[in-house]
Amino acid sequence: MLSIAQVSGLIAAAVMVVQYALPAALVIILIKFVGTENTAATWSTVNRTISNTIWPLILRADSVGAVHRSFATVVLTWTMTFAALLLVVTSVVAPLGLYEEVIPGSPQPVLFQYARDPSPWSAVTMPRPNLKFSRHCEVGLAINCPGQYQGVYMNETRPGVFSSVETDENSTINTTVPANYTAMFTSATGPDNTLSGLFDIQYRRWLIDFQNIIDKGEPHVEGDARRIESLIPQDDILLREGLVIDMRDNGGIGFRNHTVPAGLTHGGTWSEDLTWLQAVTECVDTNLTIEARSEASKDSFISNETYFVVDRGAFQGLDISSLQAPPWSDNQTLDLFGRAHKAAQMYNFLLGTSLNLSLPLDPATERVPIIAMEDVNITSFDLSPDLFPSFDKDEVRICKLDGLEGFPNTSIPIVPLPDDFVPSFPDGKRRLFASNFTAITQICRGYYTVNSLDLRANNITNPAVECGLVLGPWTRLESDVPEHIFTAVKKKQRNIHVCATGIRSSIKTVHFRFNGTGEQLSNLQVERISDKAYPNDAAKPLWAVEHSFDRRMRFDALWGLVNDSYETYEGFYTTRSEHLWLPAGPYIGANAFSLAGVGLGSVPAPSVPYIKIMKAYEIDLDSAYSGDISYPMIERFRRLSQSQSSAGHIPSLIIHDELAAALVGSKSAIRSEPITFPAMMTTNDPPQAFANSEVAVYKRVIRYDLRYAIPAFATLALFLLVMLWAASILLFSWSTLPTLKHIYNQTSAGRLATSLLLPGRTDPQQSSTEWAEGDGKLVIGFGRVRGEGNYFCRLQGHDGLLDEKGRESPRLEGHQ
């Protein structure tokens, strides 16, 4: 398709063709009708007309020759010809450099309006109910949350059996978030910014429940969940109802109820600061590989499968001290790689013990020979399906830290406590000992004790961490044999990584671009996502996390952004930082699938993130993330599982996918009213309003590519040179113009002919008007000499030639 500039060039070329062709064609017509006999004045006009066309050049007439001409005349006349050609090139080429561009202008306030997501995500997202936020603590015991005691307590009627007791008729379990907590967690996320707070992060789906003892039987909202689609294969930044979802390797989700500019012709760009959740995973390669060998047999319909453990240096330098570690005290400087590295050491030692290896190895032993599982007295029926999946299953496995057998008794120590074990290190820190795989997970999570309940308190210093194994899909070992060629023996392998995952909240600056062709979400794109920049430490956000004082955690701690007035608020710990590692909850060791959306109230931020962390490490054969149902997903997982630096993206991507399906952002850029007590789930944003961010509105401008101006610059240079030269001549020689007029008149065809045929008859200085009234009326005939007696130029009269005074006289042949 031609651009405007190219069309302009073609038009200019067509104009140039017409400019030269039309006069040339008219000359042909003129010659047809002018004949051979006309007045002298007519011949002067004919001569000028022909000279102004391209015919002298085409016909190689006398006026374009170079022989016996003065040097100055030749140079200057050919300069005129060159200039004419250069002007033709310039007129055609110069327009080609023009092009239009849409660029952002100066930022300005712009009206925004809500943009609905046209995808199924909008249909799955339920409308916000006109009910208050509810919060449950200690589900099962059903006691009040901190700050909300209202006369209900639990009584143990018999060992292990509790029932609720109401102290009076007004007693109830009040699920309302207190007014002071509401004010606290909306103090930094009001309508004056685009950040989402505790009440702006909501469940995508919900259900209503009611019980007599809760809120006096009034309906209250509980979270619900369902799958929508897997976004993992897309590897891009996506906009879905209520979220900005970055499904790239280091992605996350940002909370935004989508609005777009209204009434922009060409669109615009702007940026918004969004509250961001990001799962971060660090993995360590155990230097152990699972290999599988499948051999087809003619004697059976079933292939023979053998599994091996291949050592790549996993057991070097390991001894009993590898199972010992102090409790982690990294707090908000979470050292996920350090936790994964220590867990990998412990895992390798226990796995080596399960393989009947004597650790530590002999220093001269670099690697243990390949070990077949049948040599360890573990049959294929007893093998762990996580470590040794079916040979034909193309899937990823993310699981707890388990051993070689499928159903080990994790409470039984694999390695007994040494006789010389000392329960503390020299610096006074407690010495933990991992005697089985469950203990490794607990130590990696940050437990203070192992093989018992988590006795830690709700605290900002106890971030949620989950640890486990990541095993990528099988990769073929016969790289030199194409997959479509049949071989009786096939070999595959998969690496074992030990990983630790945490989830952090931060503020990201998201740069948007809107194309302006309509107020639809499909016209909105994310150009880039960057960490918010802070000029100094004092400008960093203040995060608050609820704590349980010295009691062990029995509720999901509230967390979020607060303003500076809450820095020392009772019942909360705060930190000023670019990000917050989200705190652990009381269900960190529970089955994640049994907790999803059950009994956790309608404030999802305190519980959903760490539940999704746990769920990521329970990817089994029936999981939607095993990869068996999505080839693009399994191929991405296969690529990521090749190294420890990229393997961590696998559980992180799954967590982001799960969080996106469960959560939605309810705050838009046009919120006008703050959240007040009691905090309600519904939103009352106006249909249109000015957003908090100013938009650089796109405008259409004309640009020019200077490369196409080179002929124009050459023409301009020649023009300026000639003009300066001519001006200087005119300035210092006033007689130039009269001389020019005299030369032009005397060399015109008619005057030159009359002067030659009637020499001395008129004054050579005669004006054009006088000459036209005198000799200009004489009729002159021009004819080409074809033979003897033919004339070339002669004066024509009615009866003969004219005398010197213009009177008719007899024909004189000598005047021809």
Side-chain angles (χ1 to χ4, degrees):
M1 183 175 181
L2 296 177
S3 66
I4 295 178
Q6 291 170 331
V7 172
S8 300
L10 291 176
I11 293 175
V15 169
M16 280 297 172
V17 170
V18 173
Q19 181 179 351
Y20 286 97
L22 180 61
L26 289 174
V27 165
I28 293 177
I29 298 174
L30 177 64
I31 296 301
K32 174 65 176 177
F33 290 98
V34 75
T36 59
E37 296 181 1
N38 288 287
T39 64
T42 300
W43 286 119
S44 293
T45 301
V46 171
N47 178 258
R48 176 184 62 80
T49 303
I50 297 174
S51 298
N52 287 339
T53 68
I54 59 174
W55 283 115
L57 283 173
I58 296 175
L59 300 176
R60 302 301 299 164
D62 295 343
S63 61
V64 300
V67 179
H68 302 302
R69 274 79 167 178
S70 68
F71 177 77
T73 302
V74 173
V75 170
L76 291 176
T77 53
W78 278 107
T79 299
M80 294 174 63
T81 303
F82 171 76
L85 293 176
L86 186 60
L87 187 60
V88 171
V89 174
T90 300
S91 63
V92 175
V93 174
L96 298 180
L98 291 170
Y99 63 94
E100 287 186 325
E101 190 176 26
V102 177
I103 63 172
S106 301
Q108 63 188 51
V110 171
L111 287 172
F112 275 63
Q113 67 182 40
Y114 168 72
R116 182 180 178 274
D117 181 6
S119 74
W121 287 69
S122 178
V124 171
T125 305
M126 299 175 66
R128 301 299 92 193
N130 191 25
L131 293 172
K132 66 181 181 179
F133 282 94
S134 61
R135 182 191 182 198
H136 293 290
C137 298
E138 291 201 53
V139 175
L141 297 181
I143 64 172
N144 293 276
C145 294
Q148 284 298 91
Y149 176 73
Q150 199 166 325
V152 176
Y153 67 92
M154 303 305 296
N155 182 37
E156 188 173 9
T157 57
R158 60 179 185 273
V161 178
F162 294 84
S163 63
S164 59
V165 177
E166 302 176 36
T167 57
D168 56 46
E169 61 181 10
N170 295 320
S171 298
T172 188
I173 296 175
N174 191 346
T175 64
T176 307
V177 180
N180 56 338
Y181 286 12
T182 302
M184 178 180 185
F185 285 105
T186 58
S187 61
T189 56
D192 59 335
N193 59 53
T194 54
L195 298 175
S196 295
L198 181 68
F199 304 108
D200 303 313
I201 301 173
Q202 299 190 21
Y203 281 102
R204 188 172 295 276
R205 298 183 62 80
W206 48 268
L207 50 86
I208 294 179
D209 192 13
F210 56 92
Q211 296 176 2
N212 288 333
I213 199 173
I214 298 178
D215 295 331
K216 286 294 185 179
E218 293 294 325
H220 61 272
V221 177
E222 301 285 351
D224 195 15
R226 67 152 297 153
R227 289 199 54 76
I228 307 174
E229 64 173 326
S230 177
L231 304 175
I232 294 176
Q234 301 196 43
D235 195 9
D236 200 0
I237 301 174
L238 310 172
L239 297 176
R240 294 295 185 267
E241 186 71 31
L243 292 177
V244 176
I245 309 172
D246 187 354
M247 293 306 295
R248 297 173 299 178
D249 289 348
N250 291 295
I253 64 170
F255 298 95
R256 181 182 190 267
N257 188 16
H258 294 302
T259 54
V260 297
L264 298 188
T265 303
H266 304 297
T269 62
W270 72 97
S271 63
E272 296 178 12
D273 291 337
L274 302 182
T275 302
W276 199 262
L277 289 183
Q278 179 183 14
V280 182
T281 304
E282 294 288 347
C283 293
V284 172
D285 192 342
T286 61
N287 289 325
L288 290 171
T289 300
I290 302 296
E291 288 191 6
R293 182 179 185 274
S294 176
E295 183 175 359
S297 173
K298 295 182 179 180
D299 300 328
S300 174
F301 291 103
I302 302 175
S303 299
N304 296 322
E305 298 179 359
T306 308
Y307 295 92
F308 306 89
V309 174
V310 180
D311 173 31
R312 295 183 284 110
F315 304 112
Q316 283 187 342
L318 297 182
D319 55 29
I320 195 68
S321 66
S322 301
L323 298 177
Q324 302 174 18
W328 287 98
S329 58
D330 42 2
N331 303 329
Q332 281 294 318
T333 60
L334 194 56
D335 183 9
L336 291 172
F337 182 82
R339 295 189 185 216
H341 186 270
K342 186 59 184 178
Q345 284 186 326
M346 294 177 172
Y347 182 79
N348 284 356
F349 190 94
L350 292 185
L351 202 65
T353 302
S354 302
L355 293 171
N356 301 322
L357 300 179
S358 296
L359 301 175
L361 296 176
D362 187 294
T365 303
E366 294 183 357
R367 295 186 181 181
V368 174
I370 186 170
I371 302 172
M373 288 296 96
E374 58 189 18
D375 296 336
V376 193
N377 296 323
I378 302 178
T379 65
S380 58
F381 296 101
D382 296 328
L383 291 176
S384 166
D386 294 321
L387 296 181
F388 308 98
S390 172
F391 187 88
D392 296 325
K393 286 289 185 180
D394 198 14
E395 60 192 10
V396 67
R397 302 304 297 273
I398 308 176
C399 57
K400 297 294 190 296
L401 291 163
D402 290 333
L404 300 173
E405 297 181 76
F407 302 97
N409 188 346
T410 54
S411 63
I412 300 176
I414 298 176
V415 177
L417 196 67
D419 295 335
D420 58 351
F421 180 77
V422 178
S424 62
F425 287 97
D427 59 2
K429 291 184 178 180
R430 182 177 300 175
R431 189 191 301 266
L432 305 178
F433 185 82
S435 61
N436 53 43
F437 294 107
T438 300
I440 299 176
T441 302
Q442 291 176 328
I443 293 173
C444 185
R445 287 171 177 167
Y447 279 24
Y448 291 101
T449 60
V450 296
N451 297 326
S452 66
L453 293 175
D454 187 357
L455 301 180
R456 296 174 298 168
N458 290 96
N459 202 312
I460 199 172
T461 59
N462 294 324
V465 177
E466 184 63 301
C467 305
L469 298 178
V470 173
L471 294 93
W474 290 116
T475 56
R476 299 174 67 248
L477 289 177
E478 309 93 337
S479 58
D480 57 333
V481 180
E483 192 170 3
H484 65 276
I485 296 179
F486 173 77
T487 56
V489 178
K490 295 182 179 180
K491 294 181 181 180
K492 296 181 180 181
Q493 69 174 13
R494 63 195 318 203
N495 298 327
I496 302 177
H497 294 92
V498 173
C499 303
T501 301
I503 190 164
R504 65 188 179 195
S505 180
S506 63
I507 299 175
K508 297 279 190 181
T509 300
V510 181
H511 301 265
F512 293 97
R513 179 167 58 87
F514 186 67
N515 68 14
T517 57
E519 287 75 23
Q520 292 89 28
L521 187 61
S522 58
N523 294 327
L524 182 64
Q525 292 181 335
V526 175
E527 288 190 317
R528 68 182 186 277
I529 301 172
S530 59
D531 295 330
K532 183 172 175 59
Y534 303 99
N536 50 56
D537 290 342
K540 294 177 181 178
L542 185 66
W543 305 88
V545 176
E546 188 179 19
H547 67 76
S548 58
F549 298 93
D550 57 350
R551 299 180 57 191
R552 64 176 286 252
M553 60 180 74
R554 303 298 292 269
F555 56 84
D556 296 317
L558 301 181
W559 62 267
L561 293 161
V562 298
N563 66 22
D564 293 349
S565 63
Y566 292 95
E567 191 164 5
T568 58
Y569 199 72
E570 183 180 2
F572 291 85
Y573 288 133
T574 59
T575 181
R576 191 175 299 278
S577 175
E578 296 94 337
H579 60 260
L580 172 74
W581 290 103
L582 300 193
Y587 312 108
I588 193 66
N591 186 298
F593 291 94
S594 66
L595 292 174
V598 178
L600 298 175
S602 57
V603 185
S607 58
V608 170
Y610 80 80
I611 289 176
K612 297 306 181 183
I613 293 178
M614 293 187 296
K615 186 175 181 180
Y617 284 89
E618 296 179 3
I619 304 302
D620 58 15
L621 292 173
D622 299 325
S623 171
Y625 298 104
S626 66
D628 197 35
I629 61 174
S630 174
Y631 184 78
M633 179 190 297
I634 203 66
E635 282 303 302
R636 187 175 185 185
F637 285 162
R638 196 189 317 276
R639 172 179 58 84
L640 293 174
S641 65
Q642 299 307 306
S643 68
Q644 70 176 27
S645 61
S646 59
H649 297 315
I650 298 176
S652 293
L653 285 169
I654 293 173
I655 294 169
H656 296 156
D657 198 52
E658 286 285 320
L659 288 173
L663 303 177
V664 66
S666 62
K667 184 177 181 180
S668 69
I670 58 175
R671 174 168 292 181
S672 58
E673 298 179 0
I675 296 176
T676 58
F677 177 82
M680 305 296 288
M681 296 184 65
T682 187
T683 58
N684 295 311
D685 295 340
Q688 279 192 354
F690 287 103
N692 290 305
S693 302
E694 292 189 333
V695 178
V697 178
Y698 279 124
K699 58 183 180 180
R700 191 182 298 276
V701 295
I702 303 296
R703 300 289 193 188
Y704 191 79
D705 189 344
L706 291 178
R707 294 176 297 177
Y708 292 94
I710 294 175
F713 288 140
T715 303
L716 179 62
L718 180 61
F719 172 76
L720 293 177
L721 175 63
V722 172
M723 290 300 294
L724 288 175
W725 193 0
S728 63
I729 292 174
L730 292 175
L731 182 63
F732 296 104
S733 180
W734 294 96
S735 62
T736 301
L737 290 180
T739 302
L740 173 62
K741 182 178 181 180
H742 177 70
I743 292 175
Y744 184 74
N745 286 337
Q746 295 305 316
T747 57
S748 68
R751 188 177 292 217
L752 187 61
T754 57
S755 297
L756 291 175
L757 294 174
L758 299 173
R761 171 182 168 82
T762 57
D763 182 7
Q765 302 296 330
Q766 193 176 34
S767 67
S768 297
T769 303
E770 294 174 346
W771 178 83
E773 291 297 327
D775 289 355
K777 293 179 178 180
L778 298 177
V779 179
I780 299 176
F782 280 94
R784 184 172 182 79
V785 179
R786 298 181 181 276
E788 187 176 355
N790 290 340
Y791 67 93
F792 176 75
C793 172
R794 68 181 179 183
L795 291 173
Q796 298 285 86
H798 295 289
D799 298 318
L801 295 176
L802 302 178
D803 61 16
E804 294 180 354
K805 295 183 179 181
R807 296 190 298 270
E808 292 186 1
S809 61
R811 182 179 300 275
L812 299 175
E813 294 299 327
H815 283 266
Q816 295 181 9

